[in-house]
């Protein structure tokens, strides 16, 4: 997310002083309306009930042809659900699982109305999941290329305690934005925010981005890549106490190789055993390595929790990282094949993140006001009220007009204080952010 700087350096045009005056005064007058400075109120401003998924609709009539030159274009929650059900299902049908399939996300997605703090306990819409017992065999999952295009998915809700056709409990689910991935799948450039998992004491496999990395069809090795993905502190896995839950990827199975680069996790976990084992058997980046994974490689990434649980296998051969994996849990420093860098979680927030994580890869990352780093161009930056990829005075004006009841649509990234209410306090915080740039 690009922050538009307004510092005065030497002699500038008179327009710079007008911009500065606008920033200083915007939050002060409840009746002020700056219509000339605001883009038209078009459909890409999300956060109204009419834009929400109903929990059932599944649309596979995508624009595009699914090729690299003409990828499927996913613009609605129903299309995203239809895509995941079709290309990440339990059986391989027709050409659904070819590795040359391409899709791109064209807008932010709201799967639940997350504007109320109790949304996850108020009959939320459940996301697609796969029965753990049918994970093998033909259940290859997604094998193509999915580009989130910097967009954010809000309101993912997973319910691991599934039931079989006879009503018997304990099936346990594999869940994630993409529940299952294999082959040469690449999932990139997507954010998950304000999401949750139903409290569960079973051994489910859950990841914000991918639930389980599976060996390829016929037993061949998979080489799955997850890059430029962030699951922030609004993602709540704290109800899991015995789960293979990963902030980014749940588990990596046998004959599977996982590469994670430029990913960040500040997902909330419980620690029922110790600090080394989030969710019991989970991790901030990857849930667990005890499923026969061939290799796990994590670079240019950060995790507020222990990045993995279990003992990183010496059989991986190469180091898990190269020093560019930053973790707020230092226990893994004793393992020779990990090679991470310890940094306190408080030092990962805001502008100080650049100093505390110098090798994170700041050509791809950028600091986030009052938050953990985000990928440049992301719509999840704190303050981007109009979802245009830039935080500037237009966002300040939109927050002001939304708080005053003049506008009805705004991106949830404008919630700077994290209370799910966008009001004058958020306006003041955004003004401070712009003045400090």
């Amino acid at each position: 997310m690009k922050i538009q700087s307004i510092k005065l350096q030497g002699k500038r045009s008179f327009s710079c002083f007008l911009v500065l005056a606008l920033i200083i005064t915007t939050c002060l007058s409840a009746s002020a309306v700056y219509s000339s400075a605001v883009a038209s109120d078009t459909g890409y401003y999300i956060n109204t009930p009419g834009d929400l998924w109903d929990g059932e609709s599944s649309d596979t009539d995508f624009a595009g042809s699914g090729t690299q030159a003409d990828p499927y274009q996913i613009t609605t929650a129903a299309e995203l659900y239809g895509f995941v059900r079709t290309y990440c299902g339990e059986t391989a049908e027709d050409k659904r699982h070819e590795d040359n399939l391409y899709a791109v996300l064209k807008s932010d997605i709201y799967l639940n109305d997350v504007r109320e703090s109790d949304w996850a306990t108020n009959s939320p819409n459940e996301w697609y999941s796969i029965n753990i017992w049918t994970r093998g065999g033909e259940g290859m999952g997604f094998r193509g290329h999915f580009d989130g295009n910097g967009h954010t998915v809000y309101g993912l809700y997973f319910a691991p305690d599934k039931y079989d056709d006879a009503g018997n409990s304990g099936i346990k689910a594999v869940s994630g934005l993409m529940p299952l991935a294999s082959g040469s799948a690449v999932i990139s450039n997507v954010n998950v925010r304000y999401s949750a998992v139903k409290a569960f004491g079973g051994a489910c496999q859950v990841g914000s981005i991918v639930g389980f990395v599976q060996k390829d069809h016929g037993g061949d090795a998979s080489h799955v890549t997850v890059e430029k993905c962030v699951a922030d502190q609004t993602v709540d896995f704290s109800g899991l106490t015995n789960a293979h839950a990963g902030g980014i990827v749940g588990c990596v199975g046998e004959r599977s190789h996982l590469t994670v680069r430029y990913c960040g996790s500040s997902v909330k976990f419980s620690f029922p055993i110790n600090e080394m084992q989030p969710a019991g058997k989970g991790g901030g980046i990857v849930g667990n390595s005890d499923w026969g994974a061939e290799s796990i490689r994590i670079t240019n990434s950060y995790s507020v929790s222990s990045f993995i649980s279990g003992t990183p296998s010496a059989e991986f051969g190469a180091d898990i990282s190269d020093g560019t994996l930053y973790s707020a849990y230092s226990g893994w420093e004793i393992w020779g094949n990990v090679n991470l860098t310890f940094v306190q979680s408080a030092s990962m927030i805001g502008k100080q993140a650049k100093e505390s994580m110098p090798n994170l890869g700041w050509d791809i990352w950028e600091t986030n006001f009052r938050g953990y780093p985000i990928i440049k161009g992301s719509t999840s930056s704190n303050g981007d009220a109009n979802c245009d990829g830039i935080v500037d005075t237009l966002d300040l004006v939109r927050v002001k007009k939304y708080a005053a009841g003049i506008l009805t649509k705004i991106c949830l990234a404008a919630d700077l204080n994290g209370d799910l209410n966008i009001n004058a306090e958020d306006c003041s915080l955004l003004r401070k952010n712009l003045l400090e740039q």
Side-chain angles (χ1 to χ4, degrees):
M1 181 67 58
K2 181 180 178 183
I3 300 291
Q4 203 73 14
S5 175
I6 50 82
K7 279 188 176 179
L8 301 179
Q9 299 176 356
K11 189 174 181 180
R12 286 282 189 91
S13 66
F14 182 66
S15 62
C16 289
F17 292 94
L18 291 179
V19 170
L20 181 60
L22 176 62
I23 292 173
I24 294 173
T25 60
T26 293
C27 300
L28 301 180
S29 171
S31 60
V33 177
Y34 303 96
S35 58
S36 62
V38 181
S40 61
D41 194 18
T42 55
Y44 62 81
Y45 298 115
I46 312 298
N47 205 28
T48 59
D51 297 309
L52 294 171
W53 182 47
D54 61 10
E56 297 179 355
S57 297
S58 177
D59 186 357
T60 57
D61 188 19
F62 319 117
S65 58
T67 65
Q68 185 173 7
D70 184 30
Y72 287 138
Q73 298 182 32
I74 300 172
T75 59
T76 68
E79 287 181 344
L80 181 60
Y81 185 62
F83 180 84
V84 171
R85 287 191 63 184
T86 301
Y87 296 106
C88 196
E90 297 181 5
T91 59
E93 298 179 22
D94 303 323
K95 297 181 179 181
R96 291 183 179 182
H97 299 276
E98 289 189 354
D99 56 11
N100 60 354
L101 178 77
Y102 289 81
V104 61
L105 192 61
K106 302 296 289 185
S107 65
D108 285 2
I109 300 294
Y110 284 77
L111 302 175
N112 279 285
D113 189 347
V114 300
R115 291 174 294 176
E116 298 295 333
S117 59
D118 64 346
W119 72 270
T121 59
N122 190 21
S123 301
N125 300 323
E126 295 182 16
W127 190 240
Y128 184 68
S129 60
I130 294 175
N131 184 334
I132 190 174
W133 306 121
T134 60
R135 177 170 43 76
E138 296 295 304
M140 293 186 298
F142 183 66
R143 303 178 74 248
H145 297 72
F146 178 86
D147 179 6
N149 200 29
H151 288 292
T152 304
V153 177
Y154 294 90
L156 272 172
Y157 182 79
F158 310 126
D161 54 338
K162 294 299 182 181
Y163 297 83
D164 64 15
D165 294 337
N168 299 311
S169 63
I171 294 299
K172 306 180 185 67
V174 177
S175 301
L177 179 63
M178 295 287 176
L180 198 60
S182 67
S184 300
V186 177
I187 297 98
S188 65
N189 213 12
V190 64
N191 312 287
V192 174
R193 303 192 72 199
Y194 292 98
S195 299
V197 179
K198 181 180 178 181
F200 185 58
C204 58
Q205 293 132 26
V206 178
S208 296
I209 308 300
V210 176
F212 196 97
V213 175
Q214 170 87 324
K215 62 185 176 183
D216 206 7
H217 183 55
D220 294 335
S222 287
H223 296 79
V224 172
T225 299
V226 180
E227 59 185 3
K228 297 182 182 179
C229 294
V230 174
D232 72 5
Q233 68 273 18
T234 64
V235 179
D236 190 354
F237 286 4
S238 62
L240 300 175
T241 58
N242 187 36
H244 301 282
I248 302 298
V249 176
C251 287
V252 185
E254 63 178 335
R255 305 220 59 191
S256 299
H257 302 261
L258 172 67
T259 298
V260 176
R261 52 183 176 238
Y262 298 104
C263 288
S265 168
S266 52
V267 173
K268 294 177 183 177
F269 287 99
S270 62
F271 301 90
I273 301 173
N274 54 48
E275 192 178 354
M276 185 180 286
Q277 296 174 272
K281 301 176 182 177
I285 300 288
V286 181
N288 194 282
S289 63
D290 293 339
W291 288 75
E294 293 286 332
S295 69
I296 296 175
R297 180 74 169 168
I298 308 172
T299 57
N300 301 101
S301 301
Y302 69 85
S303 175
V304 172
S305 300
S306 170
F307 81 98
I308 198 171
S309 69
T311 303
S313 176
E315 298 176 358
F316 288 173
D319 288 349
I320 288 178
S321 190
D322 56 2
T324 62
L325 167 60
Y326 292 88
S327 175
Y329 175 72
S330 61
W332 292 113
E333 290 180 317
I334 65 174
W335 296 93
N337 69 325
V338 174
N339 196 10
L340 61 74
T341 301
F342 168 71
V343 59
Q344 293 182 345
S345 59
S347 298
M348 297 179 175
I349 296 174
K351 291 189 290 185
Q352 60 187 329
K354 216 165 193 176
E355 298 178 1
S356 62
M357 298 185 287
N359 298 316
L360 190 62
W362 294 101
D363 55 331
I364 302 296
W365 290 102
E366 68 179 10
T367 59
N368 188 16
F369 180 65
R370 293 171 63 94
Y372 297 97
I374 58 168
I375 299 297
K376 288 182 178 179
S378 164
T379 64
S380 67
S381 177
N382 285 340
D384 185 20
N386 60 8
C387 298
D388 67 352
I390 300 173
V391 177
D392 57 14
T393 54
L394 296 183
D395 299 296
L396 186 64
V397 172
R398 176 157 286 273
V399 172
K400 167 63 175 59
K401 296 181 77 173
Y402 180 85
I406 298 169
L407 295 178
T408 61
K409 290 190 174 185
I410 196 165
C411 286
L412 196 56
D415 178 27
L416 285 163
N417 63 3
D419 65 355
L420 294 175
N421 292 305
I422 299 170
N423 50 34
E425 183 178 351
D426 298 297
C427 187
S428 296
L429 289 171
L430 180 54
R431 180 182 62 177
K432 178 182 178 182
N433 182 23
L434 290 171
L435 287 171
E436 288 179 351
Q437 300 305 314

